[in-house]
């Protein structure tokens, strides 16, 4: 209750209470940038749906059925189907649409990539088990063909400083492949790729190599010590997959030569477990 001396005091005599300064609200953070939109090509999406539907019909399907299953307008379906036929992804027979050669090529390419991946995984497992680089090669159409190499920065593969195809007489991979051929095929190879000296340890002439190959047992490892590259030793295991001649090899630095035969025995055990995976590479 106000006191007597202030109850009727004039307004200008009353103490003035300062007004609080209004607080300015903090500024709103800028709106987050909208994520960039992904540009999708609708006609490509529709064409892919048509391909998927055709693939589901082993005995073909007419345009009207494909349009209905993909929920496309019939004129749109006809236009896309004609384009896919023109590009070879579909073929048309008696009003029915089937997958074309281009689609089959895509499928076979994907299968080949899968086989390569399977072989690469198999080589990596052997590499890790041995702690050394490994090689897989075949003798195909009269040529030495290195199918795969698996190494690590700590255990690098031998540098191919001289063409592997032309120097099969020097490295264990080539000698192992040649040892599995008959005499005529061996001589034919050496006529095309004569023996040449790569290091002081390389075999000196073709006849000496042929005698060495003749004495090699078909299931025995073939070893080579600095004949292809100084500072490196190598052992190769023969592999026969049907009529295909193949080999898997391991290389070591020369200061680890005492490990070579042990590594070759371990490699032989690993190869026995991997024959199924290696057989896939024949069709690559």
């Amino acid at each position: 209750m106000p006191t007597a001396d202030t109850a009727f005091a004039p307004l200008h005599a009353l103490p003035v209470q300062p007004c609080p300064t209004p607080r300015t609200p903090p500024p709103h953070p800028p709106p987050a940038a909208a994520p960039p939109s992904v540009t999708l090509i609708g006609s490509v999406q529709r064409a892919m749906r048509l391909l998927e539907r055709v693939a589901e019909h082993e005995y073909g399907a007419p345009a009207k059925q494909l349009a209905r299953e993909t929920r496309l307008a019939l004129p749109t379906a006809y236009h896309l189907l004609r384009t896919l036929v023109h590009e070879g992804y579909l073929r048309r027979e008696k009003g029915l649409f089937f997958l074309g050669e281009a689609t089959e090529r895509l499928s076979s390419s994907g299968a080949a990539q899968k086989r390569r991946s399977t072989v690469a995984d198999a080589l990596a497992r052997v590499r890790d088990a041995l702690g050394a680089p490994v090689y897989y090669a075949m003798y195909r159409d009269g040529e030495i063909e290195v199918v795969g190499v698996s190494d690590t920065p700590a255990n690098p593969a031998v540098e191919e400083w001289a063409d592997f195809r032309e120097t099969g007489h020097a490295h264990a991979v080539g000698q192992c492949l040649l040892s599995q051929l008959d005499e005529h095929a061996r001589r034919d190879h050496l006529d095309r790729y004569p023996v040449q000296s790569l290091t002081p340890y390389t075999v000196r002439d073709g006849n000496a190599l042929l005698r060495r190959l003749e004495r090699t047992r078909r299931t025995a490892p073939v070893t080579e010590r600095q004949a292809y590259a100084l500072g490196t030793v190598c052992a190769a295991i023969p592999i026969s997959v049907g009529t295909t001649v193949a080999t898997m090899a391991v290389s070591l630095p020369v200061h680890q030569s005492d490990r070579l035969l042990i590594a070759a025995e371990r490699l032989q055990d690993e190869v026995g477990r991997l024959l199924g995976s290696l057989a896939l590479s024949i069709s690559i």
Side-chain angles (χ1 to χ4, degrees):
M1 182 175 179
T3 60
D5 57 348
T6 63
F8 298 101
L11 290 177
H12 65 272
L14 296 175
V16 178
Q17 300 293 331
C19 295
T21 303
R23 297 181 61 187
T24 303
H28 293 290
S37 59
V38 178
T39 302
L40 300 178
I41 309 300
S43 58
V44 175
Q45 292 177 306
R46 292 188 285 273
M48 296 304 293
R49 290 206 302 271
L50 282 169
L51 282 173
E52 291 171 353
R53 287 297 181 179
V54 172
E56 294 173 359
H57 295 284
E58 182 179 358
Y59 302 104
K64 288 183 179 180
Q65 180 180 354
L66 294 169
R68 184 173 63 253
E69 292 178 354
T70 54
R71 299 181 180 180
L72 295 176
L74 187 57
T76 300
Y78 269 126
H79 176 71
L80 292 171
L81 289 169
R82 283 196 299 268
T83 303
L84 291 169
V85 169
H86 180 268
E87 296 298 326
Y89 291 99
L90 294 179
R91 58 185 173 86
R92 186 179 184 184
E93 294 180 9
K94 299 179 180 179
L96 301 178
F97 292 90
F98 302 82
L99 293 180
E101 291 183 0
T103 306
E104 294 169 0
R105 285 197 299 271
L106 286 176
S107 176
S108 62
S109 297
Q113 289 180 355
K114 184 174 182 180
R115 289 193 293 270
R116 290 189 184 95
S117 177
T118 300
V119 172
D121 290 344
L123 293 180
R125 288 197 297 272
V126 178
R127 175 203 67 202
D128 293 342
L130 271 59
V134 294
Y135 313 77
Y136 180 48
M138 291 187 290
Y139 196 82
R140 186 153 51 183
D141 298 328
E143 300 291 345
I144 294 170
E145 181 180 338
V146 178
V147 179
V149 179
S150 187
D151 63 353
T152 63
N155 296 296
V158 177
E159 181 182 356
E160 186 180 355
W161 70 275
D163 194 326
F164 268 20
R165 294 171 300 176
E166 301 177 6
T167 57
H169 63 282
H171 47 73
V173 166
Q175 290 183 27
C176 187
L177 292 173
L178 293 174
S179 72
Q180 298 176 69
L181 304 178
D182 59 34
E183 183 177 358
H184 174 76
R186 290 174 191 164
R187 290 186 178 276
D188 173 71
H189 183 89
L190 293 176
D191 286 343
R192 289 181 289 118
Y193 301 114
V195 168
Q196 54 181 308
S197 181
L198 301 181
T199 78
Y201 304 94
T202 308
V203 64
R204 293 306 178 196
D205 62 77
N207 289 329
L209 176 64
L210 289 171
R211 288 194 296 270
R212 179 186 301 177
L213 297 175
E214 188 65 32
R215 293 193 300 267
T216 303
R217 292 185 293 113
R218 290 189 64 84
T219 58
V222 174
T223 60
E224 165 264 306
R225 299 172 187 269
Q226 303 190 86
Y228 174 78
L230 293 176
T232 303
V233 296
C234 185
I237 304 298
I239 302 172
S240 293
V241 183
T243 58
T244 301
V245 171
T247 183
M248 185 175 281
V250 57
S251 65
L252 295 169
V254 69
H255 68 268
Q256 296 182 21
S257 294
D258 57 334
R259 286 185 55 207
L260 187 61
L261 293 180
I262 297 173
E265 292 175 0
R266 181 74 182 275
L267 179 60
Q268 205 157 24
D269 292 340
E270 295 291 337
V271 165
R273 301 188 188 99
L274 295 175
L275 278 179
S277 298
L278 297 178
L280 289 173
S281 63
I282 294 175
S283 56
I284 293 177

